[in-house]
Amino acid sequence: MSGPIASILDSRAFGILARVLLTLVFWSSGLAKLFDFNANVAIMEGFGLTPGWLFNSMTLILQIGASLLIILNRWVWLAAGALAVFTVLTIPIAHPFWLKEGEEAFRDMTVALEHVSVIGGLALVSIVSRRR
């Protein structure tokens, strides 16, 4: 591997940037749930999660809190595991592609596959954190 690429990959700043980017989907969603709390309560209740205020609160705490732990490289295995379980659970709740048809089924299946890919990234960040 060339010197400049190795330097980038070994830099602390690049590691932080990678963890921020990996968790972007979680902490941005958590902040949206915080700043537009009532709208997100309604979304939770629309998925049958009641009381919506409790599910919204727990979700935003998990999304923001676990993202921060990963970004700060603290208890990464726990934070990544919690986000992975959360991400798996969102598939049958919010993206049940097997119950849909046509374009809607395709869209939800694509989102479900993206979720599985994010879980792979969470597993990798746990491995890298442990090795360092």
Side-chain angles (χ1 to χ4, degrees):
M1 179 178 310
S2 71
I5 299 297
S7 294
I8 291 169
L9 294 175
D10 290 339
S11 77
R12 184 173 184 273
F14 190 74
I16 293 168
L17 175 63
R19 292 190 302 273
V20 167
L21 293 175
L22 175 64
T23 59
L24 172 66
V25 68
F26 298 110
W27 58 259
S28 64
S29 177
L31 290 174
K33 286 172 179 59
L34 177 64
F35 294 130
D36 200 357
F37 192 84
N38 291 331
N40 283 282
V41 166
I43 291 169
M44 293 292 180
E45 291 176 352
F47 288 126
L49 302 172
T50 56
W53 66 267
L54 179 61
F55 279 94
N56 192 61
S57 298
M58 291 184 338
T59 301
L60 75 88
I61 290 167
L62 170 66
Q63 290 179 314
I64 295 170
S67 294
L68 281 173
L69 288 173
I70 291 170
I71 291 166
L72 298 172
N73 203 24
R74 303 284 185 251
W75 293 344
V76 174
W77 64 273
L78 179 62
L83 288 173
V85 169
F86 167 79
T87 302
V88 165
L89 292 175
T90 65
I91 295 171
I93 293 170
H95 310 289
F97 60 89
W98 55 92
L99 298 176
K100 299 176 180 176
E101 294 181 11
E103 186 65 30
E104 191 178 17
F106 179 76
R107 221 177 11 256
D108 274 0
M109 184 181 70
T110 301
V111 171
L113 291 172
E114 289 170 353
H115 281 30
V116 173
S117 294
V118 169
I119 292 167
L122 292 167
L124 279 172
V125 78
S126 297
I127 292 166
V128 170
S129 176
R130 176 168 162 66
R131 287 187 179 166
R132 288 192 173 192

